[in-house]
Amino acid sequence: MIFGGFLEHMGRCVYEGVYEPASRHADEHGCRRDVLDALGDLGFTVMRYPGGNFASGYHWRDGVGPIEARPTVRELAWQSIEPNYFGTHEFLGLCDRMGWEPMMAVNLGTGTPEEARDWVEYCNAPVGTREADRRAGNGRVEPWDVGLWCLGNEMDGPWQLGHVPARDYAIRAQQTAKLIKDVDPRIRTVACGSSSPEMPTFGAWDYEVLDHLGRAADFVSLHRYVDDNANDLPRFLASGVSIDRQIESIDAVCRAVQAKHRTRHRAYLCFDEWNVWYKNMEMNGAGQHAPHLIEEVYDLADALVVAQFLLSFVRHCDVVKIANLAQVVNVIAPVLTRGDDLLVQSIHHAIRMIADRRTGTALRCAVDGPADALGRTTRAHQVDAAAILDVDALHLFAVNRSPDLDAPIEWNVPGHALGSVRSAEILTGAGPRTANTWEAPDVIRAETWSGVSVGDSTARFALPPLSFAAISLSVPNAA
Ligand code: AHR
C-alpha cells in the first residue's frame, strides 16, 4: 500500500478535479473520466479522504443524504465554501470503481469520538441499527467495510483545528480507537504522528502518543513536504537521504515503545502525506468554492525528488506499510485541470515508472560510488537506488542526482543470472527547472531507453545528469 494517494476537500482536488458533473468528461457519477484515466495510470492502491486539515472541521453527516438537501458550510481549514455535493457515498463509490482501498480520516479536531463511531457504523455495519439503516435509506444496503481509519490529522500542529498537546490528543485518539474498534474489530487505525521532522516535538510527540495508545494504534503517520526554499539544488536533490532518516527515526520510536511495553505489537509506519511543495503557498480560499490553492507546477528536479520518496519507501517497506501521495489532482498533484483540459506533470511520469514495476520483493541495495558531504555526518551518493525482485523479473531504479556528471553504473546481482532487458525507461530533460506547461505539455516525459546492457549477473548503463531510470530485466530462475 505504499502506492497510495490522498484526495482532500481542498482547492480544486475534489471539485473541478475528480468530480465535475458539468464537464464534458463527466461519467454518470459526475466524475471526470480524463482525470480518472490519468490517475488510473498510477495504479493507486489506497486512497485517503477527506483530509488533511479539512478533516479536522468536517462533519460527515453534512455529506450524506440527497445532494440537494446537504448543507453548504463555511470551511475553516482552507477558508472555503463547501457545498457537500461529494461525500461518503460519492467517495466510496469512486473507490469501488477505481479499485482503491479507502482510508478515512475522522475529525478529532472539532468532532467527538462518538461522531467517529457513528461514521464507522454508517460505513461498516450490517443493516438493523440506526446509522446502518440510514445508509441503506440513502441507497446503499451493503456495508462498505472500510478497514483503515486515521485518528485525526496533524494534531501536533498549531494550525490544526482543535490542536492539543500530545497527552490530550492521545487520550482523544485512544477513546476513539476503542469505540470504532468496538463497532468493527477488523479496523486498523492510524494515529497522528509528527507532521514533519521540523516540528519541535518531532519524535517526542510520536513516543507519547504511541506509549498511551498501545495496541489501539496499528500505524503512526509520517508527513513530509520537501522544498527548495534555500535555492540549493544539490541539497534538494539529496532529499532521499533525509527521507530515509525520517523513516528510520520514527521506526526507532515504534520499536522503543514496543520494548517498553514488552509486547509483540508494534505500530508500523503510514507515510500518509508526502510530496514536493514550496512554490505555490496560496492556502486561503477567501470564501470561494473550489478556489485555486497550492497548484504547484512540477519540474524535472521535483520529479527526481518524488522518485526518491518512492525509492525510500521501497527500501523501507518492511516498516513503511502505507504511503499516500499528497494530493492526486490540482492540489500539489501529478495532474492539473483547466476547464476540460488536463496536464500531466513531470512527477506523474516518475511515479508511473515505478508503479508499473512495483510487485515483488524489495531487495537491499548497497551503493558504492561518489558521494557529496551533506553537513558533518551525512553523505549523499550521486546515485539513489532501489530494486524489486518479481517472479520472473528484476526491476532496477536509479536516480542520478548530479546536474552535470554522467553516472556510469555496474549493477551486480550476485547469485542471479540476468536475462534480457524487458523494458527500460528514462526521465530527463533540458535542465532541473524544465516543466510541462499548458503551452508545452510534453517536454518532460518518460522515454523508452536502449542504454542498458546485461552480462551474467551484472547490468550496465550510464545515467545522464539529472535523470531517473526504471529498468525491468527478465530473470529466468527468480521464482
Ligand atoms: O496536503 C495539504 C495539507 O498539508 C494537508 O491538508 C495537511 O494535512 C498538511 O499540512
Side-chain angles (χ1 to χ4, degrees), residues 6 8 10 48 51-54 78 153-154 159-160 223 225 273 277 294 326-327 331-332:
F6 171 38
E8 175 165 11
M10 177 180 186
R48 182 168 178 253
N53 296 347
F54 175 85
W78 310 116
N153 176 70
E154 293 192 347
W159 59 86
Q160 200 68 212
H223 288 185
Y225 293 105
E273 286 187 33
W277 170 24
I294 57 171
Q327 299 185 8
V331 174
I332 44 173

Side-chain angles (χ1 to χ4, degrees), residues 305-354:
V305 171
V306 158
Q308 290 176 56
F309 267 104
L310 283 169
L311 300 195
S312 179
F313 301 156
V314 169
R315 285 191 294 268
H316 292 94
C317 67
D318 54 333
V319 292
V320 179
K321 299 294 182 185
I322 307 173
N324 307 70
L325 171 74
Q327 299 185 8
V328 292
V329 48
N330 288 326
V331 174
I332 44 173
V335 293
L336 292 170
T337 64
R338 188 177 69 176
D340 280 333
D341 295 339
L342 178 129
L343 181 70
V344 172
Q345 301 228 60
S346 62
I347 63 170
H348 184 283
H349 295 283
I351 299 164
R352 203 269 310 144
M353 288 163 70
I354 308 172

Side-chain angles (χ1 to χ4, degrees), residues 12 57 69 71 74 113 191 194 238 240 243 253 256 295 305 318 341 353 360 375 383 385 419 430 437 441 462 470 479:
R12 301 188 309 126
R74 190 168 289 284
S194 292
I243 296 160
V253 170
E295 299 200 357
V305 171
D318 54 333
D341 295 339
M353 288 163 70
V383 170
T437 60

Side-chain angles (χ1 to χ4, degrees), residues 265-330:
H265 173 86
R266 58 153 295 170
Y268 284 96
L269 276 52
C270 173
F271 217 125
D272 58 20
E273 286 187 33
W274 67 268
N275 207 338
V276 171
W277 170 24
Y278 68 104
K279 299 184 210 95
N280 186 329
M281 301 306 289
E282 183 53 72
M283 284 181 270
N284 187 338
Q288 302 297 304
H289 167 56
H292 288 247
L293 300 182
I294 57 171
E295 299 200 357
E296 191 96 350
V297 172
Y298 289 108
D299 56 33
L300 174 62
D302 300 331
L304 300 182
V305 171
V306 158
Q308 290 176 56
F309 267 104
L310 283 169
L311 300 195
S312 179
F313 301 156
V314 169
R315 285 191 294 268
H316 292 94
C317 67
D318 54 333
V319 292
V320 179
K321 299 294 182 185
I322 307 173
N324 307 70
L325 171 74
Q327 299 185 8
V328 292
V329 48
N330 288 326

Side-chain angles (χ1 to χ4, degrees), residues 30-45:
C31 291
R32 281 185 65 147
R33 283 196 191 87
D34 58 337
V35 170
L36 298 183
D37 285 350
L39 299 184
D41 291 343
L42 302 182
F44 289 121
T45 45

Side-chain angles (χ1 to χ4, degrees), residues 381-449:
H381 279 101
Q382 181 185 343
V383 170
D384 191 42
I388 299 175
L389 184 61
D390 206 347
V391 177
D392 57 357
L394 174 67
H395 307 298
L396 307 178
F397 307 97
V399 174
N400 180 5
R401 293 169 163 142
S402 171
D404 38 43
L405 299 175
D406 279 353
I409 293 176
E410 277 193 9
W411 203 314
N412 301 309
V413 191
H416 283 282
L418 302 178
S420 54
V421 178
R422 189 183 282 184
S423 68
E425 294 178 274
I426 192 154
L427 183 73
T428 187
R433 296 304 170 202
T434 312
N436 293 340
T437 60
W438 294 103
E439 295 68 39
D442 225 11
V443 291
I444 301 291
R445 61 169 194 268
E447 310 262 11
T448 303
W449 195 38

